[in-house]
Amino acid sequence: VQLQAYGGGLVRRGGSLRLSCAASGRSFSSYAVGWFRRAPGKEREFVATISGSGGNIYYADFVEGRFTISRDNAKNMVYLQMNDLGPEDTAVYYCAAGSAGTVHAWEYYDWGQGTQVTVSS
């Protein structure tokens, strides 16, 4: 499956953004989709994942209720609503597809290009 992430931008502390991940290919609903991010000078880290049906969702601890992942299989889309953003959320955000929704990047085999999120203080 091919993925394309978009929706990033520059926001102020406390602001919100909704990232979108558009997928092409068959059987999109059979794939789990995860969001990861890489901040400058840091390792890539897991953000959130959602199963193919949307019934199983898991977030990284640092999300703390601020982000919501969702999907619309009819549109081949996955979203990441991010609220109460802080400078620590500044990163390139990536979406990725895999057979199982896990926290491990190596278990996802299709990746989209990243979208930059910058949060000013």
Side-chain angles (χ1 to χ4, degrees), residues 25-32 51-54 71 73-74 76:
R26 297 182 298 176
S27 303
F28 175 67
S29 62
S30 66
Y31 296 97
S51 63
S53 68
R71 66 189 296 158
N73 286 339
N76 281 13

Side-chain angles (χ1 to χ4, degrees), residues 18-114:
R18 188 176 83 154
L19 304 184
S20 298
C21 178
S24 60
R26 297 182 298 176
S27 303
F28 175 67
S29 62
S30 66
Y31 296 97
V33 175
W35 284 97
F36 291 79
R37 69 185 189 183
R38 187 190 297 272
K42 295 187 178 180
E43 296 292 320
R44 180 173 51 188
E45 66 178 342
F46 167 77
V47 177
T49 188
I50 186 167
S51 63
S53 68
N56 292 304
I57 289 172
Y58 186 72
Y59 296 100
D61 289 344
F62 66 78
V63 169
E64 297 179 324
R66 300 179 299 132
F67 297 177
T68 302
I69 189 171
S70 62
R71 66 189 296 158
D72 184 342
N73 286 339
K75 297 181 179 179
N76 281 13
M77 295 292 295
V78 173
Y79 307 99
L80 184 68
Q81 176 67 43
M82 305 188 296
N83 299 325
D84 193 22
L85 288 163
E88 65 276 11
D89 296 312
T90 294
V92 178
Y93 285 70
Y94 301 87
C95 59
S99 57
T102 79
V103 304
H104 304 295
W106 53 266
E107 294 195 87
Y108 293 82
Y109 37 75
D110 290 318
W111 290 77
Q113 90 294 349

